[in-house]
Amino acid sequence: MSDDTNHQRRRFLGAAAFAAAAVGIAGTVRAQTAGAGSSALASVKSGTHTSFPALKQVKTGVLDIGYAELGPADGPAVLLLHGWPYDIYSFVDVAPVLADAGYRVLIPYLRGYGTTRFLSSKTPRNGQQAAIAVDMIDFMNALKIERAVVGGYDWGGRTANIMAALWPERCKAMVSVSGYLIGSQAINEKPLPPKAELSWWYQFYFATERGRAGYDANRHDFAKLIWTLASPQWHFDDATFDRTAKAFENPDHVAITIHNYRWRLDLAKGEKKYDALERKLAKLPDIGVPAITMEGDANGAPHLDAASYAKKFTGKYEHRTITGGIGHNLPQEAPAAFAQAIIDADRLA
């Protein structure tokens, strides 16, 4: 990024205020408990913040993307990406910490969520992995952001993986909950053991018309069930959930969700313009940018053991297991640990 040098001193001072133990060497895997780092950062708890500044909108290739922005406009960029069925409020406690450290923090609604809208009614409501990643590159282009530290979980973690693998020049560093999430239709053809298949019950539900109709009719209760199953020890209140649930009122939310899960099983076709990207992704490319992967110790959603994907990260790399009953929505459940990982990943670069 062209302004990195101008802001090196401020970034160093801001990050130092929250610095944790020294980062590990490239390729190592280590565990780190929640709350590591300075007392100032550890004091940031889930639920400390409940709102963002007024949201902004920017037109990209096919979307008008809604996003939250915090921090100095000329600060080094951090791009934070949410998952399903969640939204930008996963980062409501993370963003102020990073903004105070001097970062320009950008949190877009993915296609099908919140205030993000398609510019044309004729554009396919496509939820395939490559499409969402291209959206985020387009988002950076629209805001004239050359490089960013990219972090996410669930759909957002996969998108961060793809951006780092296919456009490493745009990603200064990466933080990904649940590690390496790039997939392919060919891999998804292989059946899993019964217990593993059970954890994907909603994917099979969404493969049916009954499932599409059921999700459309019960978005609120369906998402709340997923939250409970994916984060069994997170005792979120109704106000916390309801702030996010508004994002599912997006007119394209159901179509994007259903297409995403059907595409994975080759039950729905993607767009030809993404075919070349998907062929690259089907080879499960390595990620060479500096990276930190994370996992909560109580993640109830399907996820792999960190040892199974560590070798996919060929640059400077760490893995952190966050303890204390942390589930799938790690940034919202353990905001201090996630913010620290973003700062530390930047320092790895």
Side-chain angles (χ1 to χ4, degrees):
M1 174 175 278
S2 59
D3 59 2
D4 275 356
T5 301
N6 295 335
H7 295 278
Q8 184 177 10
R9 175 176 168 81
R10 179 172 60 188
R11 182 167 71 252
F12 174 78
L13 292 174
F18 305 117
V23 296
I25 61 172
T28 61
V29 179
R30 71 176 187 179
Q32 179 165 316
T33 58
S38 72
S39 59
L41 183 56
S43 68
V44 179
K45 305 296 184 183
S46 179
T48 301
H49 303 88
T50 59
S51 64
F52 287 107
L55 298 185
K56 300 180 178 182
Q57 297 286 141
V58 64
K59 289 182 172 61
T60 64
V62 298
L63 297 171
D64 183 2
I65 294 180
Y67 65 101
E69 179 173 353
L70 289 82
D74 58 352
V78 172
L79 179 63
L80 301 178
L81 305 174
H82 69 82
W84 172 90
Y86 306 94
D87 82 330
I88 64 173
Y89 278 92
S90 290
F91 303 103
V92 71
D93 291 314
V94 171
V97 173
L98 297 177
D100 287 346
Y103 292 97
R104 180 187 183 187
V105 186
L106 302 155
I107 317 169
Y109 279 114
L110 301 186
R111 54 170 60 193
Y113 294 81
T115 61
T116 292
R117 296 290 188 273
F118 284 90
L119 296 175
S120 171
S121 61
K122 297 180 180 179
T123 303
R125 273 37 179 179
N126 177 359
Q128 75 183 100
Q129 59 180 358
I132 297 172
V134 169
D135 288 345
M136 294 302 102
I137 295 296
D138 288 345
F139 177 72
M140 292 177 65
N141 290 342
L143 295 179
K144 296 180 171 57
I145 295 170
E146 296 176 17
R147 285 204 306 165
V149 178
V150 183
Y153 69 100
D154 195 84
W155 288 21
R158 178 176 297 106
T159 303
N161 286 177
I162 294 170
M163 294 172 70
L166 299 187
W167 296 279
E169 71 281 3
R170 308 301 297 273
C171 300
K172 184 179 182 183
M174 187 204 71
V175 174
S176 174
V177 177
S178 297
Y180 191 90
L181 297 169
I182 297 173
S184 74
Q185 292 173 324
I187 290 174
N188 289 335
E189 288 178 357
K190 184 178 180 180
L192 299 172
K195 186 176 181 180
E197 293 284 21
L198 178 62
S199 65
W200 285 108
W201 64 271
Y202 53 88
Q203 180 169 258
F204 302 114
Y205 182 61
F206 289 161
T208 68
E209 176 55 25
R210 177 185 174 92
R212 186 209 62 77
Y215 185 57
D216 194 9
N218 302 287
R219 301 181 203 190
H220 185 282
D221 291 346
F222 199 103
K224 202 166 191 177
L225 173 62
I226 295 294
W227 279 35
T228 302
L229 294 175
S231 299
Q233 297 185 43
W234 182 31
H235 304 296
F236 58 88
D237 58 23
D238 287 343
T240 297
F241 176 78
D242 290 343
R243 278 190 290 271
T244 286
K246 293 178 181 178
F248 312 144
E249 297 172 5
N250 184 294
D252 301 305
H253 178 71
V254 173
I256 294 298
T257 298
I258 297 302
H259 186 270
N260 177 282
Y261 287 103
R262 290 183 181 180
W263 178 87
R264 297 187 197 193
L265 298 178
D266 200 16
L267 299 175
K269 299 301 181 184
E271 293 177 78
K272 289 187 179 298
K273 67 180 180 178
Y274 300 117
D275 284 353
L277 295 178
E278 293 294 354
R279 284 193 293 270
K280 292 179 181 179
L281 296 174
K283 296 178 182 178
L284 304 183
D286 291 341
I287 294 174
V289 305
I292 294 175
T293 60
M294 309 182 74
E295 192 62 80
D297 65 340
N299 185 0
H303 63 280
L304 296 173
D305 183 86
S308 69
Y309 54 70
K311 291 182 179 180
K312 299 303 294 182
F313 297 93
T314 58
K316 296 178 181 178
Y317 172 66
E318 295 180 36
H319 177 78
R320 299 178 178 182
T321 298
I322 310 304
T323 61
I326 303 303
H328 190 58
N329 186 5
L330 191 151
Q332 195 162 3
E333 298 175 59
F338 192 87
Q340 187 67 67
I342 292 290
I343 292 169
D344 290 346
D346 184 26
R347 297 175 68 198
L348 280 174

